Amino acid sequence: MDEFMQAAIAEARQGLAEGGIPIGSVLVHQGRIIGRGHNRRVQQGSAILHGEMDALENAGRLPAQVYRESVLYTTLSPCAMCSGAILLYGIPHVVIGENRSFLGEEALLQSRGVALQVLNDADCIALMQQFMAAQPALWNEDIGE
Amino acid sequence: MDEFMQAAIAEARQGLAEGGIPIGSVLVHQGRIIGRGHNRRVQQGSAILHGEMDALENAGRLPAQVYRESVLYTTLSPCAMCSGAILLYGIPHVVIGENRSFLGEEALLQSRGVALQVLNDADCIALMQQFMAAQPALWNEDIGE
């Protein structure tokens, strides 16, 4: 696996170590990580800091052109909110660690021309499966169910 | 106009007074405001705190059922990110101050069963028109253009 998905997994593991939901993400521009993050629902009591949102927030304010030259890596298929952020900023390419534990808005993203690459990586799947089994109520809260 | 859109406009005006982008929002549950916010791009250097996102964040962690009984008020038609957040949490009803300055993902929301009410309120339009004329680069940054 490439270094960027490894960095997203490292973020997910950091979130788990903090008692949080193990989903991580990095934003990569021209071969360099410019934002990294992980889900902060537990740690910050946040309703909006999913892993992808945290990575975008930590990347800071950027010109539109930077997003359009970037790739977003996320350990889990992006939900409606994170998919909407991808569309807002016109990020053209998303690499997804896995979509077996949760299938987000991949069809919407593809219908708008976003290129998706789904790895179904064993580490990403194991992180989510263990978390979902251990804390189903927290997981349901995170996806609005 | 009802008190809730007035509260969203008050948030937008507060953002403008802070030197920010004049878009505000409130989340209303069973006739009571449970979250309020405004765009924080300038004030916090935020890429994700649009008015609606700020209102959701300030409402805090909530059970899914609360969102499903809530109405989101926003002074401007919600962009892809904010629309995605509405879909994630299953907010069934959105009241929109105006959609003439910017038309967000209203068609997507309606296709997923979200009820929309567009007021095209003169105060909301004036706030955006004056801001967009004064700071076009900042506005374009906010919508990823």
Side-chain angles (χ1 to χ4, degrees):
Chain A
M1 185 189 318
D2 76 21
E3 63 181 306
F4 302 124
M5 185 54 70
Q6 290 291 1
I9 293 172
E11 285 289 328
R13 291 208 165 108
Q14 185 181 333
L16 189 66
E18 294 165 357
I21 299 171
I23 304 170
S25 177
V26 296
L27 184 65
V28 175
H29 181 244
Q30 297 179 340
R32 193 171 66 84
I33 294 174
I34 58 171
R36 58 180 80 214
H38 54 268
N39 188 298
R40 309 269 182 182
R41 178 173 295 275
V42 171
Q43 299 92 319
Q44 295 187 22
S46 176
I48 66 170
L49 286 172
H50 280 190
E52 301 92 323
M53 303 296 286
D54 193 45
L56 291 171
E57 185 70 333
N58 289 334
R61 289 173 56 179
L62 298 169
Q65 189 58 36
V66 174
Y67 294 108
R68 291 180 186 165
E69 297 165 349
S70 292
V71 181
L72 185 70
Y73 288 74
T74 176
T75 57
L76 185 66
S77 184
C79 80
M81 173 175 65
C82 299
S83 296
I86 291 162
L87 294 176
L88 168 64
Y89 287 120
I91 297 170
H93 186 186
V94 181
V95 181
I96 297 168
E98 65 118 338
N99 65 5
R100 293 188 189 170
S101 305
F102 173 79
L103 178 61
E105 292 279 350
E106 294 182 14
L108 173 65
L109 290 170
Q110 287 178 308
S111 78
R112 303 290 183 94
V114 180
L116 303 182
Q117 189 178 350
V118 181
L119 306 181
N120 280 322
D121 170 73
D123 287 347
C124 293
I125 294 171
L127 271 167
M128 280 310 296
Q129 290 296 319
Q130 289 165 22
F131 167 71
M132 291 163 75
Q135 300 206 58
L138 178 56
W139 171 240
N140 284 337
E141 184 192 313
D142 201 54
I143 54 170
E145 286 183 3
Chain B
M1 183 191 318
D2 76 22
E3 61 181 308
F4 301 124
M5 185 54 71
Q6 289 292 1
I9 293 172
E11 285 289 328
R13 291 207 165 109
Q14 186 179 333
L16 189 66
E18 293 165 356
I21 299 170
I23 304 170
S25 177
V26 296
L27 183 66
V28 175
H29 181 244
Q30 297 180 340
R32 193 171 65 84
I33 294 175
I34 60 171
R36 58 180 79 216
H38 54 268
N39 188 298
R40 309 269 182 182
R41 178 172 295 275
V42 171
Q43 298 94 318
Q44 295 187 23
S46 177
I48 65 170
L49 286 172
H50 280 190
E52 301 92 322
M53 303 297 286
D54 193 44
L56 291 171
E57 185 70 333
N58 289 333
R61 289 173 56 179
L62 298 169
Q65 190 57 35
V66 174
Y67 294 108
R68 291 178 186 166
E69 298 165 350
S70 292
V71 181
L72 185 71
Y73 289 73
T74 175
T75 57
L76 184 66
S77 183
C79 81
M81 175 175 65
C82 299
S83 296
I86 291 162
L87 294 176
L88 168 65
Y89 287 119
I91 297 169
H93 186 185
V94 181
V95 181
I96 297 168
E98 66 118 338
N99 65 6
R100 292 187 189 170
S101 305
F102 173 79
L103 178 61
E105 292 279 351
E106 294 182 13
L108 174 65
L109 290 170
Q110 288 178 308
S111 77
R112 302 290 181 95
V114 180
L116 303 182
Q117 189 179 349
V118 180
L119 306 181
N120 280 322
D121 171 73
D123 286 347
C124 293
I125 294 171
L127 272 166
M128 281 309 296
Q129 289 296 319
Q130 288 164 23
F131 167 72
M132 290 163 74
Q135 301 206 57
L138 178 56
W139 171 240
N140 283 337
E141 184 192 314
D142 201 53
I143 54 170
E145 285 183 3

PDB file of all heavy atoms in Angstrom, chain B residues 49-67:
ATOM      1  N   LEU B  49     -16.237  25.450   8.269  1.00  0.00           N
ATOM      2  CA  LEU B  49     -17.286  26.078   9.083  1.00  0.00           C
ATOM      3  C   LEU B  49     -18.099  27.082   8.279  1.00  0.00           C
ATOM      4  O   LEU B  49     -18.039  28.287   8.486  1.00  0.00           O
ATOM      5  CB  LEU B  49     -16.696  26.707  10.346  1.00  0.00           C
ATOM      6  CG  LEU B  49     -16.283  25.692  11.416  1.00  0.00           C
ATOM      7  CD1 LEU B  49     -15.536  26.395  12.550  1.00  0.00           C
ATOM      8  CD2 LEU B  49     -17.481  24.921  11.969  1.00  0.00           C
ATOM      9  N   HIS B  50     -18.897  26.545   7.353  1.00  0.00           N
ATOM     10  CA  HIS B  50     -19.969  27.329   6.758  1.00  0.00           C
ATOM     11  C   HIS B  50     -21.012  27.574   7.854  1.00  0.00           C
ATOM     12  O   HIS B  50     -20.960  26.948   8.921  1.00  0.00           O
ATOM     13  CB  HIS B  50     -20.580  26.559   5.589  1.00  0.00           C
ATOM     14  CG  HIS B  50     -19.781  26.642   4.317  1.00  0.00           C
ATOM     15  ND1 HIS B  50     -20.257  26.184   3.109  1.00  0.00           N
ATOM     16  CD2 HIS B  50     -18.550  27.144   4.079  1.00  0.00           C
ATOM     17  CE1 HIS B  50     -19.335  26.404   2.171  1.00  0.00           C
ATOM     18  NE2 HIS B  50     -18.295  26.983   2.727  1.00  0.00           N
ATOM     19  N   GLY B  51     -21.956  28.462   7.590  1.00  0.00           N
ATOM     20  CA  GLY B  51     -22.949  28.782   8.606  1.00  0.00           C
ATOM     21  C   GLY B  51     -23.702  27.559   9.117  1.00  0.00           C
ATOM     22  O   GLY B  51     -23.870  27.358  10.330  1.00  0.00           O
ATOM     23  N   GLU B  52     -24.138  26.721   8.188  1.00  0.00           N
ATOM     24  CA  GLU B  52     -24.909  25.540   8.577  1.00  0.00           C
ATOM     25  C   GLU B  52     -24.052  24.576   9.406  1.00  0.00           C
ATOM     26  O   GLU B  52     -24.517  23.970  10.377  1.00  0.00           O
ATOM     27  CB  GLU B  52     -25.430  24.815   7.327  1.00  0.00           C
ATOM     28  CG  GLU B  52     -26.333  25.666   6.430  1.00  0.00           C
ATOM     29  CD  GLU B  52     -25.556  26.399   5.329  1.00  0.00           C
ATOM     30  OE1 GLU B  52     -24.424  26.879   5.587  1.00  0.00           O
ATOM     31  OE2 GLU B  52     -26.090  26.489   4.214  1.00  0.00           O
ATOM     32  N   MET B  53     -22.790  24.402   8.977  1.00  0.00           N
ATOM     33  CA  MET B  53     -21.891  23.480   9.682  1.00  0.00           C
ATOM     34  C   MET B  53     -21.612  23.993  11.096  1.00  0.00           C
ATOM     35  O   MET B  53     -21.531  23.225  12.056  1.00  0.00           O
ATOM     36  CB  MET B  53     -20.569  23.343   8.919  1.00  0.00           C
ATOM     37  CG  MET B  53     -20.709  22.871   7.485  1.00  0.00           C
ATOM     38  SD  MET B  53     -21.396  21.218   7.294  1.00  0.00           S
ATOM     39  CE  MET B  53     -19.981  20.242   7.815  1.00  0.00           C
ATOM     40  N   ASP B  54     -21.460  25.305  11.203  1.00  0.00           N
ATOM     41  CA  ASP B  54     -21.209  25.910  12.517  1.00  0.00           C
ATOM     42  C   ASP B  54     -22.418  25.721  13.438  1.00  0.00           C
ATOM     43  O   ASP B  54     -22.261  25.423  14.629  1.00  0.00           O
ATOM     44  CB  ASP B  54     -20.896  27.395  12.316  1.00  0.00           C
ATOM     45  CG  ASP B  54     -20.306  28.065  13.551  1.00  0.00           C
ATOM     46  OD1 ASP B  54     -19.411  27.478  14.196  1.00  0.00           O
ATOM     47  OD2 ASP B  54     -20.725  29.183  13.865  1.00  0.00           O
ATOM     48  N   ALA B  55     -23.609  25.863  12.886  1.00  0.00           N
ATOM     49  CA  ALA B  55     -24.819  25.644  13.697  1.00  0.00           C
ATOM     50  C   ALA B  55     -24.897  24.185  14.153  1.00  0.00           C
ATOM     51  O   ALA B  55     -25.211  23.905  15.316  1.00  0.00           O
ATOM     52  CB  ALA B  55     -26.067  26.022  12.899  1.00  0.00           C
ATOM     53  N   LEU B  56     -24.591  23.256  13.248  1.00  0.00           N
ATOM     54  CA  LEU B  56     -24.616  21.830  13.624  1.00  0.00           C
ATOM     55  C   LEU B  56     -23.548  21.532  14.667  1.00  0.00           C
ATOM     56  O   LEU B  56     -23.785  20.779  15.614  1.00  0.00           O
ATOM     57  CB  LEU B  56     -24.401  20.949  12.380  1.00  0.00           C
ATOM     58  CG  LEU B  56     -25.544  20.950  11.366  1.00  0.00           C
ATOM     59  CD1 LEU B  56     -25.125  20.232  10.088  1.00  0.00           C
ATOM     60  CD2 LEU B  56     -26.798  20.281  11.948  1.00  0.00           C
ATOM     61  N   GLU B  57     -22.380  22.128  14.494  1.00  0.00           N
ATOM     62  CA  GLU B  57     -21.300  21.887  15.459  1.00  0.00           C
ATOM     63  C   GLU B  57     -21.660  22.455  16.826  1.00  0.00           C
ATOM     64  O   GLU B  57     -21.441  21.809  17.859  1.00  0.00           O
ATOM     65  CB  GLU B  57     -19.994  22.505  14.936  1.00  0.00           C
ATOM     66  CG  GLU B  57     -18.773  22.213  15.794  1.00  0.00           C
ATOM     67  CD  GLU B  57     -18.310  20.758  15.742  1.00  0.00           C
ATOM     68  OE1 GLU B  57     -19.122  19.864  15.497  1.00  0.00           O
ATOM     69  OE2 GLU B  57     -17.097  20.537  15.969  1.00  0.00           O
ATOM     70  N   ASN B  58     -22.228  23.640  16.824  1.00  0.00           N
ATOM     71  CA  ASN B  58     -22.584  24.265  18.099  1.00  0.00           C
ATOM     72  C   ASN B  58     -23.765  23.566  18.782  1.00  0.00           C
ATOM     73  O   ASN B  58     -23.921  23.675  20.007  1.00  0.00           O
ATOM     74  CB  ASN B  58     -22.882  25.751  17.894  1.00  0.00           C
ATOM     75  CG  ASN B  58     -21.615  26.532  17.583  1.00  0.00           C
ATOM     76  OD1 ASN B  58     -20.520  26.140  17.975  1.00  0.00           O
ATOM     77  ND2 ASN B  58     -21.757  27.638  16.860  1.00  0.00           N
ATOM     78  N   ALA B  59     -24.577  22.856  18.003  1.00  0.00           N
ATOM     79  CA  ALA B  59     -25.649  22.062  18.613  1.00  0.00           C
ATOM     80  C   ALA B  59     -25.080  20.877  19.379  1.00  0.00           C
ATOM     81  O   ALA B  59     -25.733  20.344  20.281  1.00  0.00           O
ATOM     82  CB  ALA B  59     -26.622  21.575  17.537  1.00  0.00           C
ATOM     83  N   GLY B  60     -23.881  20.466  19.020  1.00  0.00           N
ATOM     84  CA  GLY B  60     -23.215  19.369  19.733  1.00  0.00           C
ATOM     85  C   GLY B  60     -23.668  17.997  19.269  1.00  0.00           C
ATOM     86  O   GLY B  60     -24.409  17.863  18.292  1.00  0.00           O
ATOM     87  N   ARG B  61     -23.210  16.991  19.957  1.00  0.00           N
ATOM     88  CA  ARG B  61     -23.584  15.613  19.640  1.00  0.00           C
ATOM     89  C   ARG B  61     -25.033  15.367  20.034  1.00  0.00           C
ATOM     90  O   ARG B  61     -25.419  15.629  21.164  1.00  0.00           O
ATOM     91  CB  ARG B  61     -22.677  14.635  20.394  1.00  0.00           C
ATOM     92  CG  ARG B  61     -21.271  14.598  19.876  1.00  0.00           C
ATOM     93  CD  ARG B  61     -20.375  13.741  20.754  1.00  0.00           C
ATOM     94  NE  ARG B  61     -20.886  12.381  20.912  1.00  0.00           N
ATOM     95  CZ  ARG B  61     -20.263  11.451  21.618  1.00  0.00           C
ATOM     96  NH1 ARG B  61     -19.124  11.718  22.233  1.00  0.00           N
ATOM     97  NH2 ARG B  61     -20.772  10.239  21.707  1.00  0.00           N
ATOM     98  N   LEU B  62     -25.807  14.881  19.086  1.00  0.00           N
ATOM     99  CA  LEU B  62     -27.239  14.679  19.315  1.00  0.00           C
ATOM    100  C   LEU B  62     -27.649  13.287  18.851  1.00  0.00           C
ATOM    101  O   LEU B  62     -27.078  12.754  17.894  1.00  0.00           O
ATOM    102  CB  LEU B  62     -28.046  15.711  18.504  1.00  0.00           C
ATOM    103  CG  LEU B  62     -27.815  17.178  18.834  1.00  0.00           C
ATOM    104  CD1 LEU B  62     -28.475  18.058  17.783  1.00  0.00           C
ATOM    105  CD2 LEU B  62     -28.362  17.498  20.217  1.00  0.00           C
ATOM    106  N   PRO B  63     -28.652  12.715  19.473  1.00  0.00           N
ATOM    107  CA  PRO B  63     -29.193  11.450  18.955  1.00  0.00           C
ATOM    108  C   PRO B  63     -29.815  11.673  17.574  1.00  0.00           C
ATOM    109  O   PRO B  63     -30.332  12.762  17.282  1.00  0.00           O
ATOM    110  CB  PRO B  63     -30.273  11.084  19.979  1.00  0.00           C
ATOM    111  CG  PRO B  63     -30.035  11.959  21.169  1.00  0.00           C
ATOM    112  CD  PRO B  63     -29.357  13.192  20.657  1.00  0.00           C
ATOM    113  N   ALA B  64     -29.805  10.644  16.761  1.00  0.00           N
ATOM    114  CA  ALA B  64     -30.354  10.753  15.409  1.00  0.00           C
ATOM    115  C   ALA B  64     -31.789  11.272  15.428  1.00  0.00           C
ATOM    116  O   ALA B  64     -32.191  12.055  14.556  1.00  0.00           O
ATOM    117  CB  ALA B  64     -30.280   9.391  14.717  1.00  0.00           C
ATOM    118  N   GLN B  65     -32.550  10.842  16.408  1.00  0.00           N
ATOM    119  CA  GLN B  65     -33.964  11.214  16.439  1.00  0.00           C
ATOM    120  C   GLN B  65     -34.162  12.727  16.517  1.00  0.00           C
ATOM    121  O   GLN B  65     -35.129  13.259  15.955  1.00  0.00           O
ATOM    122  CB  GLN B  65     -34.664  10.528  17.629  1.00  0.00           C
ATOM    123  CG  GLN B  65     -36.174  10.664  17.612  1.00  0.00           C
ATOM    124  CD  GLN B  65     -36.803  10.117  16.326  1.00  0.00           C
ATOM    125  OE1 GLN B  65     -36.321   9.126  15.767  1.00  0.00           O
ATOM    126  NE2 GLN B  65     -37.840  10.778  15.837  1.00  0.00           N
ATOM    127  N   VAL B  66     -33.271  13.413  17.198  1.00  0.00           N
ATOM    128  CA  VAL B  66     -33.413  14.870  17.328  1.00  0.00           C
ATOM    129  C   VAL B  66     -33.301  15.546  15.957  1.00  0.00           C
ATOM    130  O   VAL B  66     -34.112  16.411  15.601  1.00  0.00           O
ATOM    131  CB  VAL B  66     -32.375  15.439  18.315  1.00  0.00           C
ATOM    132  CG1 VAL B  66     -32.424  16.968  18.334  1.00  0.00           C
ATOM    133  CG2 VAL B  66     -32.608  14.884  19.711  1.00  0.00           C
ATOM    134  N   TYR B  67     -32.294  15.130  15.184  1.00  0.00           N
ATOM    135  CA  TYR B  67     -32.152  15.717  13.838  1.00  0.00           C
ATOM    136  C   TYR B  67     -33.414  15.480  13.016  1.00  0.00           C
ATOM    137  O   TYR B  67     -33.833  16.342  12.250  1.00  0.00           O
ATOM    138  CB  TYR B  67     -30.960  15.101  13.101  1.00  0.00           C
ATOM    139  CG  TYR B  67     -29.620  15.414  13.714  1.00  0.00           C
ATOM    140  CD1 TYR B  67     -28.891  14.434  14.385  1.00  0.00           C
ATOM    141  CD2 TYR B  67     -29.052  16.674  13.599  1.00  0.00           C
ATOM    142  CE1 TYR B  67     -27.643  14.702  14.926  1.00  0.00           C
ATOM    143  CE2 TYR B  67     -27.808  16.956  14.141  1.00  0.00           C
ATOM    144  CZ  TYR B  67     -27.104  15.961  14.810  1.00  0.00           C
ATOM    145  OH  TYR B  67     -25.877  16.242  15.347  1.00  0.00           O
TER     146      TYR B  67
END
